[in-house]
Amino acid sequence: MAQSKGTVVLAYSGGLDTSCILVWLKEQGYDVVAYLANIGQKEDFEAAQKKALALGAKKVYIEDVSREFVEEFIWPAVQANALYEDRYLLGTALARPCIARKLVEIAQREGAQYVAHGATGKGNDQVRFELTCYALCPKIKVVAPWRLPEFYQRFPGRRELMDYAKKHGIPVPVTPQTPWSMDENLMHISYEAGILENPKVIGHGHPAGTAATAPGASRVPVKVTNTGDGATRSSALELFVYLNDIAGKHGVGRIDIVENRFVGMKSRGIYETPAGTILYHAHLDIEAFTMDREVRKIKQGLSLKFSELVYNGFWHSPECEFLRECIGRSQEPVVGTVRLSVFKGQVYILGRESPRSLYNEELVSMNVQGDYEPADATGFININSLRLKEYHRLQSKVTVKQDE
């Protein structure tokens, strides 16, 4: 056994990679504290704790960060209408700074100089974990085995990891029947790698069905009511779990995309984001109903930048903090109720109401003139056409001159 190098806090999932990494870190001379975040995944946490201790962890922390994940990370993303590359609702990207924040907290509690993770050297998660750690604790040192030649040369593939696990008595859940990587949290489930690296291979999702729900929106979601049975959920975590259950059963929020990783390559992923998809559509609708047009245009640009920053791991950057403040300020009038249904994988908006609505039924009506003078539109059109007339007048002159 190598000479002791000190204590490292490992972000531990209980899967093949982090189980092998735990044993490997001990081989390198580290005292290992395992940290398993409960972020809404279906997991036997007691079994995972026993496994980590059996593999040699000197201590195991299992921290439930589900509520913080919803209130402090998912809600700002809902307010932002955050989408990366027009489709991805950022389930993994939002979870990483939440997990890493607790990782640093435990390292400080344990007096550990090091933190470690099992993220690969080709992916986004290594960036997300480490930028959060360095932002919150600049002096922390990160051990990233998948970037260390002595690790990745020893384990060039999963076969070598499986052999190592067998040699060291590490039980692993991976079988040939699930030849891909899966990440699960409250926000979503993602599938990637393995056979899915071929973008032609078809992934499989949940069956579709029918249901009806009515979520409320008041700057952040505050209540969801099922119009069928009248059941209501009000706490952040409870309503999010409920929407996941309803939408997940009906195939809502499943996408199969090729995206651009921050490190420079394209990757294929399959994501299932049930509650997040419902809330995205509900919020988008009530925001359009209550927010000034020009504010909304500016906010759309901020949302695009926010999504990029979150995806790339910059949650704890000064620019992302600034954007969250700006977006939060824009949400003051976003109050109301949206009625919607889910059917065969789709979310359908049925209606909305709000005490802060900017919709004026009399003003927009074709049957009532209201406080609007139609004749004024003539001058409006003339002024706006002036630029177009001048542009095309000049273009005509240029064309005639070229033809001479």
Side-chain angles (χ1 to χ4, degrees):
M1 187 65 71
Q3 184 179 355
S4 177
K5 293 180 178 178
T7 299
V8 60
V9 181
L10 170 66
Y12 177 74
S13 70
L16 174 65
D17 289 29
T18 55
S19 294
C20 290
I21 285 171
L22 194 162
V23 175
W24 183 84
L25 287 169
K26 284 184 59 62
E27 278 185 351
Q28 305 308 302
Y30 293 99
D31 294 321
V32 181
V33 173
Y35 155 53
L36 177 57
N38 176 357
I39 201 159
Q41 71 272 37
K42 295 176 180 66
E43 179 78 62
D44 186 339
F45 293 102
E46 186 177 343
Q49 181 178 38
K50 289 178 179 177
K51 180 179 177 180
L53 291 170
L55 295 177
K58 74 171 187 177
K59 191 182 288 188
V60 178
Y61 284 90
I62 297 177
E63 299 280 337
D64 188 342
V65 294
S66 300
R67 183 184 59 78
E68 299 99 294
F69 182 39
V70 175
E71 294 180 350
E72 299 176 36
F73 294 87
I74 295 177
W75 280 178
V78 171
Q79 289 184 324
N81 302 321
L83 274 183
Y84 179 70
E85 295 189 335
D86 303 317
R87 291 189 285 177
Y88 174 41
L89 284 164
L90 299 166
T92 298
L94 289 165
R96 294 317 185 216
C98 183
I99 294 169
R101 183 174 70 178
K102 185 64 70 171
L103 184 70
V104 168
E105 182 184 309
I106 291 170
Q108 292 172 328
R109 197 184 311 170
E110 289 292 319
Q113 287 181 283
Y114 304 92
V115 294
H117 59 76
T120 73
K122 288 186 175 182
N124 296 306
D125 282 343
Q126 57 180 342
V127 183
R128 295 163 180 161
F129 275 126
E130 294 181 36
L131 290 184
T132 297
C133 289
Y134 290 133
L136 299 180
C137 185
K139 293 183 179 180
I140 201 76
K141 296 176 183 175
V142 178
V143 181
W146 283 116
R147 295 206 307 270
L148 299 174
E150 60 268 33
F151 186 88
Y152 66 72
Q153 288 174 3
R154 182 176 177 182
F155 305 109
R158 298 188 79 78
R159 182 187 300 275
E160 289 78 11
L161 276 180
M162 294 290 282
D163 290 343
Y164 182 80
K166 186 176 181 181
K167 177 182 176 182
H168 291 275
I170 302 171
V172 291
V174 178
T175 67
Q177 283 72 45
T178 56
W180 50 67
S181 173
M182 186 180 89
D183 177 66
E184 181 183 12
N185 61 49
L186 266 175
M187 182 69 162
H188 83 171
I189 302 175
S190 68
Y191 306 89
E192 61 180 10
I195 63 170
L196 298 178
E197 288 175 353
N198 181 344
K200 294 188 292 185
V201 170
I202 298 173
H204 299 282
H206 293 305
T210 60
T213 59
S218 176
R219 301 174 184 89
V220 298
V222 294
K223 183 172 70 173
V224 59
T225 302
N226 188 313
T227 57
D229 59 18
T232 296
R233 272 74 174 179
S234 298
S235 76
L237 186 56
E238 188 182 32
L239 78 83
F240 201 84
V241 169
Y242 178 69
L243 286 177
N244 262 338
D245 182 54
I246 289 289
K249 286 177 181 176
H250 301 296
V252 168
R254 184 180 182 276
I255 61 171
D256 185 330
I257 65 172
V258 174
E259 70 202 56
N260 289 293
R261 287 181 181 169
F262 189 27
V263 294
M265 66 189 76
K266 291 185 184 290
S267 67
R268 188 265 187 104
I270 296 172
Y271 303 104
E272 295 173 8
T273 317
T277 300
I278 281 184
L279 292 173
Y280 172 82
H281 288 288
H283 179 265
L284 197 63
D285 189 79
I286 200 70
E287 186 176 77
F289 196 47
T290 57
M291 186 178 285
D292 174 77
R293 182 186 72 177
E294 298 305 314
V295 172
R296 190 162 183 264
K297 284 180 184 178
I298 294 170
K299 193 251 179 180
Q300 284 177 302
L302 298 181
S303 297
L304 191 65
K305 185 62 179 177
F306 172 83
S307 303
E308 181 183 290
L309 289 172
V310 172
Y311 184 86
N312 292 343
F314 288 92
W315 181 272
H316 288 288
S317 66
E319 62 270 31
C320 196
E321 289 176 2
F322 172 72
L323 283 180
R324 289 200 298 276
E325 286 290 325
C326 292
I327 290 168
R329 171 68 176 79
S330 78
Q331 298 301 292
E332 288 183 7
V334 184
V335 179
T337 299
V338 180
R339 184 182 175 91
L340 55 83
S341 69
V342 291
F343 180 70
K344 292 190 175 181
Q346 299 298 314
V347 178
Y348 297 96
I349 303 295
L350 305 178
R352 78 288 297 156
E353 59 181 336
S354 169
R356 301 290 297 272
S357 166
L358 292 175
Y359 179 86
N360 184 328
E361 188 173 349
E362 182 181 89
L363 183 62
V364 79
S365 174
M366 295 296 183
N367 299 316
V368 181
Q369 185 167 316
D371 188 20
Y372 180 82
E373 181 55 61
D376 291 345
T378 302
F380 177 79
I381 294 168
N382 287 338
I383 292 296
N384 277 281
S385 70
L386 180 63
R387 177 177 58 90
L388 304 181
K389 290 175 181 176
E390 287 303 297
Y391 172 79
H392 287 286
R393 182 180 63 80
L394 178 62
Q395 290 299 106
S396 298
K397 283 185 176 181
V398 170
T399 303
V400 170
K401 196 168 186 178
Q402 288 176 342
D403 290 341
E404 290 177 350

